[in-house]
Amino acid sequence: MFLSSCISHPLISPKISHFGQPSNLHRNVKVDKGYTSALKTRGTDHPSQQARIGAGLLGKWSFAKGTRLVIRKEVSTFVPFRKSFEVQASWLTTSQIASSMFTLGTAAVLPFYTLMVFAPKAELTKKTMESGVPFIVLGLLYAYLLYLSWTPDTLRLMFASKYLLPELSGMAKMFSSEMTIASAWIHLLAVDLFAARQVFHDGLQNEIETRHSVSLCLLFCPIGIVTHFVTKAVAGTAAAGDRHRMH
């Protein structure tokens, strides 16, 4: 009963003694409080960590030293806080990368179409359209986006039928991803620019108008190719009629 009373009420007057002498219990309690405070301070020094330190009080009694309280330090548990502004693995999200590459690819091909439409006979246009650098850049960009958009289900969605042929439903699921759409757009830009260059060179060789066909190749490439063949046929018929009249 005496031991329980000491543990439950640590603030005992220093006049209490077993042998008529002042007890050192009050001094021990002060030391223990300071030690407990030091533990709490030490556990919460770092702002990015939260420390939970518990201390248990154990009462001991002897005839030589009287009653004293001993602090038993418990195991500390540190719970680190994650910073709200922690650095991400990538500077941009997948959606941001797809959007940026979509805009970059579109802007990259516009100068070539501008030269072919507004200055088709200029030397700068001829030298520029003879270069293969634009197609190499677009090809590398497409390969990068294809890598980012590739999933284990890509091939299964592309060849979903039992005859290993593409199906519309599978392609629709595959193109539900923004990254896949961006890669397909870069693919179209590269193919359309290549077709427009072929139309441009054929027009220079046969001395026929190609500006309308080149313009259509930017967004409606198959229609641009068709208009070029129509223009070429009409121009050839008109040239044949002129030669016939001259004779």
Side-chain angles (χ1 to χ4, degrees), residues 101-119 125 128-129 134-135 138 185-186 188-190 192-194 196 214-219:
M101 295 300 102
F102 184 92
T103 304
L104 178 62
T106 304
V109 300
L110 290 179
F112 302 103
Y113 284 95
T114 302
L115 289 175
M116 289 187 289
V117 172
F118 294 100
T125 304
T128 301
M129 299 315 300
F135 305 100
L138 290 173
W185 179 249
I186 299 300
L188 291 175
L189 290 177
D192 292 353
L193 181 60
F194 186 83
V214 169
S215 299
L216 288 172
C217 285
L218 176 59
L219 295 176

Side-chain angles (χ1 to χ4, degrees), residues 37-112:
S37 176
L39 287 177
K40 291 182 179 179
T41 304
R42 185 181 306 170
T44 56
D45 283 342
H46 201 286
S48 65
Q49 293 179 340
Q50 181 185 25
R52 294 182 299 169
I53 299 178
L57 296 179
L58 179 62
K60 292 185 178 181
W61 179 86
S62 65
F63 286 99
K65 297 183 180 180
T67 303
R68 61 176 179 174
L69 298 178
V70 180
I71 295 180
R72 182 179 60 192
K73 184 175 66 173
E74 296 180 356
V75 179
S76 303
T77 303
F78 294 93
V79 181
F81 286 119
R82 291 185 178 180
K83 298 180 179 179
S84 59
F85 51 88
E86 66 178 346
V87 180
Q88 301 294 329
S90 176
W91 287 104
L92 298 176
T93 63
T94 301
S95 178
Q96 289 173 329
I97 293 176
S99 178
S100 299
M101 295 300 102
F102 184 92
T103 304
L104 178 62
T106 304
V109 300
L110 290 179
F112 302 103

